[in-house]
Amino acid sequence: MTDYEMQATSGKTYTLENLKKENGLLVVFSCNTCPFVLAWEEEYPELAKLAEKSKVGMVLVNSNTKKRDDEDSMEAMKDHAKEAGYTSPYVVDEGNKLADAFGAKTTPHVYLFNSDMELVYRGSINNKFENKSKEADKFYLNNALKALAKGDKVDPADTREIGCSIKRV
């Protein structure tokens, strides 16, 4: 897997390899403005805790290159990460390189890798937006993290991603 260097809101530079932990890595394509992200991001800190407990690294990746000078600028990302209480690194994907390599389409779009950086889950955090009530009753990502930590097969391994399109140039 190509390992790009990505600048975080903290000022640190990360690669996927140095974000990965013993059992793998969770990559969440995110942004500052998508209504789907705004509705799901309250779950990011709990997902980060579950990832940590599961010995899985977690990173939030902003690939909205088209909005880089505006709503998804580094300064806006810093403010947003602070306001939203992000506990995981929030990084810039310059030129959509990572999103393009992954085939990421939306924000949020979730990718979970095992310790060998093999994709074990891709899709949605849960089914919140598949229900008229907007209440989740299927917790795809939580279940995938728990299965990965136990060494079990992740099922389902692929769900429909729901969100705003990544704003490519």
Side-chain angles (χ1 to χ4, degrees):
M1 175 178 295
T2 307
D3 212 15
Y4 306 109
E5 287 192 351
M6 298 171 288
Q7 186 76 34
T9 55
S10 65
K12 295 181 181 178
T13 300
Y14 292 99
T15 64
L16 297 180
E17 191 57 39
N18 65 27
L19 287 161
K20 182 183 86 164
K21 294 196 175 173
E22 182 181 331
N23 287 331
L25 178 64
L26 170 60
V27 177
V28 180
F29 288 91
S30 196
C31 70
N32 296 341
T33 57
C34 171
F36 292 94
V37 169
L38 298 176
W40 258 312
E41 74 183 349
E42 67 191 21
E43 298 176 42
Y44 289 179
E46 287 303 314
L47 286 171
K49 286 179 189 172
L50 180 57
E52 182 70 29
K53 183 179 174 186
S54 303
K55 298 179 183 170
V56 172
M58 180 173 167
V59 63
L60 305 168
V61 180
N62 187 325
S63 298
N64 276 352
T65 302
K66 192 170 185 179
K67 292 186 171 190
R68 191 67 63 223
D69 294 329
D70 193 15
E71 299 153 312
D72 284 309
S73 68
M74 179 56 84
E75 284 308 310
M77 287 173 61
K78 287 177 184 177
D79 292 343
H80 187 80
K82 186 176 181 182
E83 288 169 16
Y86 288 178
T87 56
S88 300
Y90 187 27
V91 301
V92 171
D93 175 20
E94 290 294 345
N96 319 91
K97 291 179 192 168
L98 195 63
D100 290 348
F102 279 35
K105 298 175 187 169
T106 63
T107 57
H109 200 166
V110 173
Y111 291 79
L112 180 61
F113 297 89
N114 66 17
S115 59
D116 295 324
M117 292 303 284
E118 297 166 336
L119 185 63
V120 295
Y121 175 75
R122 173 184 56 210
S124 214
I125 292 171
N126 56 43
N127 71 335
K128 177 189 286 192
F129 291 102
E130 295 172 43
N131 295 325
K132 288 182 182 178
S133 68
K134 302 298 182 241
E135 293 291 326
D137 61 3
K138 294 179 182 172
F139 301 92
Y140 309 125
L141 184 54
N142 286 27
N143 294 340
L145 280 163
K146 290 173 185 174
L148 180 62
K150 287 194 252 175
D152 294 342
K153 184 178 186 291
V154 175
D155 186 30
D158 196 351
T159 61
R160 182 174 147 229
E161 72 281 348
I162 298 174
C164 302
S165 65
I166 291 176
K167 307 304 183 249
R168 293 171 164 86
V169 175

